Amino acid sequence: MKLQRKNRRVLALGALAVSGALALTACGSDETGNGGGDASSSAGASNIKCDDASGQVLADGSSAQKNAVDAWVKQFSSACKVEINYKAGGSGAGVTAFTQGQIPWAGSDSALKPEEVEASKKICSGGQGIDLPMVGGPIALGYNVPGVDNLVLDAPTIAKIFNDKIKNWNDPAIAKLNPGAKLPDLKIQAFHRSDESGTTDNFTKYLIATAKSDFPYEGGKAWQAKGGQSAPQSSGVAAQVKQTAGAIGYFELSYAKNGIKAVAIDTGAGKPVEASVENATKAISDAKVVGTGKDLSLELNYATKAEGAYPMILVTYEIVCDKGNKSETLPAVKAFLRYAASEDGQKILAENDYAPMPEDIIAKVRTTVESLS
């Protein structure tokens, strides 16, 4: 292609982006306008390395990270000729679709189980599925209690609420944690996930680690405790909490918006800890990599009592084959994950109420993404 013609092409693409057009720009373009986004987002899009990525990628999994993926896709698709369709049907659905070879990449709030790794070997030619920690954040306990704006709960009380042992908002255990609050004589409506969910897995891991006697269950992606009501995906639980007086439910902080208040947790530290990106990052920083080989699954410390560390956390993993990825989707998946793990991609997380991965962890993710084959 002649230089003059190439320059005209780049200028034309830049004009389209500045005018807010939805056309996809050329991979690796240096143009910073992308549909009227802010300066930081535009700069992030300009740094995306597309390589030979093109076409369409279907993915499924964690609804916890849906808002993060949406933000990533917006930037990625403005730079590369790739359409990312992320279904967000829940961690269980995503892992199943991945191990059955239906999708090249899944999101899960729980690391692969040994039997799932074994199943993945059938679709990862010469390799296996691995866990790449990419998105962190607090699991917020959203509540709808009229007249109560600053609710504090501790692990045993939360466990009893979700195990149908504490049934009313003016229960003495809740009143003791909230002196001076006008707790109503109102039935508690506890909502949990109806689908298999990594959010459920992490929420119950927190309760088991901190209040085992009050939550005597094995935990896992499927809800096991008695009582309560269910709703699908994080968005469904959040919607029920918002519209139901007396409700409480668990979901990611990014869903605790539009008037939904979140519980502060009494961890035994100097003061109750609020659900925030910063407080979640403090807790995630205490995590250890326990995966072997290229797998980077983490062990989280749910029982932390460090000042300002919010313990009810989760990490969403992007699950891919370390080897044996399909040639038609590998370039696009690799380019997308490279961007998600980049400094720009991680910065977007904090802007959307998620916690970026600690630098020592995300550095290992970046190295692993480059090695995918």
Side-chain angles (χ1 to χ4, degrees):
M1 183 181 292
K2 293 182 179 180
L3 180 60
Q4 185 177 9
R5 185 183 302 172
K6 184 177 181 180
N7 287 341
R8 286 201 303 268
R9 179 170 175 266
V10 172
L11 287 172
L13 288 169
L16 281 173
V18 171
S19 66
L22 297 178
L24 300 180
T25 60
C27 293
S29 169
D30 289 333
E31 300 301 322
T32 57
N34 56 48
D38 60 34
S40 62
S41 296
S42 297
S46 71
N47 293 329
I48 295 173
K49 183 180 179 183
C50 300
D51 290 339
D52 298 322
S54 62
Q56 184 182 67
V57 174
L58 301 178
D60 196 2
S62 164
S63 64
Q65 70 167 358
K66 182 181 185 303
N67 294 334
V69 173
D70 287 348
W72 284 335
V73 168
K74 181 178 180 181
Q75 298 302 316
F76 184 74
S77 294
S78 73
C80 302
K81 295 179 180 178
V82 179
E83 181 182 351
I84 305 287
N85 291 321
Y86 184 71
K87 187 177 177 181
S91 296
V95 171
T96 297
F98 174 74
T99 56
Q100 291 180 351
Q102 299 171 7
I103 55 175
W105 149 59
S108 176
D109 307 320
S110 301
L112 291 170
K113 297 178 180 178
E115 60 268 26
E116 293 168 339
V117 173
E118 195 61 32
S120 73
K121 294 179 181 179
K122 298 178 181 179
I123 56 100
C124 300
S125 180
Q128 66 178 50
I130 56 173
D131 304 286
L132 302 179
M134 200 78 80
V135 181
I139 300 174
L141 275 179
Y143 67 95
N144 182 346
V145 183
V148 180
D149 295 325
N150 299 292
L151 184 67
V152 175
L153 297 175
D154 60 10
T157 307
I158 295 169
K160 291 173 184 175
I161 287 174
F162 281 90
N163 195 28
D164 204 32
K165 298 298 184 181
I166 292 180
K167 302 175 183 290
N168 232 52
W169 280 111
N170 62 352
D171 187 275
I174 300 176
K176 184 178 180 180
L177 292 164
N178 296 272
K182 296 182 179 180
L183 297 168
D185 183 6
L186 179 66
K187 182 180 178 181
I188 294 174
Q189 307 281 353
F191 284 91
H192 57 263
R193 290 279 291 271
S194 60
D195 53 318
E196 286 201 354
S197 160
T199 310
T200 295
D201 191 16
N202 284 273
F203 176 57
T204 54
K205 281 179 179 176
Y206 163 75
L207 294 178
I208 292 167
T210 55
K212 177 65 176 177
S213 62
D214 296 307
F215 200 81
Y217 303 97
E218 294 182 0
K221 294 178 183 177
W223 185 256
Q224 299 171 347
K226 302 175 182 178
Q229 303 178 61
S230 64
Q233 283 84 52
S234 293
S235 57
V237 175
Q240 290 297 326
V241 170
K242 185 176 181 179
Q243 69 187 25
T244 307
I248 186 170
Y250 58 91
F251 39 78
E252 296 65 46
L253 183 62
S254 62
Y255 291 91
K257 294 183 176 180
N258 302 319
I260 299 179
K261 303 180 184 71
V263 169
I265 298 179
D266 183 345
T267 65
K271 61 180 181 179
V273 186
E274 296 183 354
S276 73
V277 169
E278 295 78 12
N279 293 345
T281 298
K282 290 179 182 178
I284 295 172
S285 295
D286 198 26
K288 298 178 181 179
V289 175
V290 293
T292 58
K294 293 183 179 180
D295 185 85
L296 298 175
S297 56
L298 303 175
E299 181 179 85
L300 302 175
N301 182 10
Y302 299 100
T304 180
K305 295 182 180 180
E307 293 295 332
Y310 185 84
M312 198 184 298
I313 51 176
L314 62 74
V315 168
T316 300
Y317 300 96
E318 312 312 333
I319 295 173
V320 291
C321 297
D322 58 352
K323 299 178 182 178
N325 288 279
K326 295 180 180 179
S327 59
E328 59 267 31
T329 54
L330 176 59
V333 171
K334 194 169 181 177
F336 180 74
L337 295 181
R338 177 189 295 121
Y339 167 62
S342 71
E343 183 178 344
D344 289 327
Q346 291 291 296
K347 181 180 178 182
I348 281 180
L349 295 180
E351 296 171 356
N352 289 274
D353 295 319
Y354 292 96
M357 289 293 98
E359 184 57 35
D360 60 331
I361 293 175
I362 202 64
K364 294 177 182 178
V365 172
R366 291 167 185 157
T367 299
T368 303
V369 168
E370 294 304 325
S371 72
L372 298 179
S373 62

